[in-house]
Amino acid sequence: MSFMKMLDIDSDFLKAASNEAFMDELRQEIERKLDKLDEKEMLPHCKRDVIQLISGIEKAKIRFLQGHIRVQQLYREVDANLSMFKKQYPKFDYLNDPVVNAYYA
């Protein structure tokens, strides 16, 4: 999973983000997409925590789409979120993480 793939904004995301209730539905959507993952699978982190990470990334993308932040800020925020997560879970590698890959696939 590349960093650029995380920043990708597809047409479905754009349509959904224009809905006023999208922010409320975001976490549920992330959880729904990740439900197919086996909870017993050995992960270097808690699935709940990576859901919060993905939610933060998606919220930053929405703020970018709404014009509240510039692309440089979006990049910095996503990078900062990944770095903070990596500090909490040193074995975390977003390029090869099964949860991150399941969501952004």
Side-chain angles (χ1 to χ4, degrees), residues 48-61:
R48 182 185 69 244
D49 290 343
V50 82
I51 288 172
Q52 289 178 321
L53 169 68
I54 292 169
S55 179
I57 291 169
E58 296 303 297
K59 287 177 183 177
K61 288 167 48 176

Side-chain angles (χ1 to χ4, degrees), residues 2 20 37 39 41 46 48 60-61 95 104:
S2 74
E20 288 183 26
L37 292 178
E39 283 288 339
E41 183 177 344
C46 175
R48 182 185 69 244
K61 288 167 48 176
L95 294 172
Y104 288 105

Side-chain angles (χ1 to χ4, degrees), residues 10-24:
D10 63 16
S11 60
D12 291 334
F13 183 85
L14 196 55
K15 288 178 202 172
S18 65
N19 179 355
E20 288 183 26
F22 181 71
M23 294 299 277
D24 298 330

Side-chain angles (χ1 to χ4, degrees), residues 28-78:
Q28 293 173 356
E29 176 66 19
I30 293 168
E31 289 173 358
R32 185 187 63 73
K33 283 181 104 172
L34 300 179
D35 274 346
K36 61 186 170 197
L37 292 178
D38 183 8
E39 283 288 339
K40 296 177 185 168
E41 183 177 344
M42 294 298 291
L43 297 173
H45 51 72
C46 175
K47 189 168 136 181
R48 182 185 69 244
D49 290 343
V50 82
I51 288 172
Q52 289 178 321
L53 169 68
I54 292 169
S55 179
I57 291 169
E58 296 303 297
K59 287 177 183 177
K61 288 167 48 176
I62 291 168
R63 290 187 14 251
F64 167 72
L65 289 172
Q66 293 171 335
H68 298 294
I69 61 174
R70 295 176 183 248
V71 71
Q72 295 88 350
Q73 283 179 283
L74 171 63
Y75 181 88
R76 281 194 299 267
E77 283 189 30
V78 171

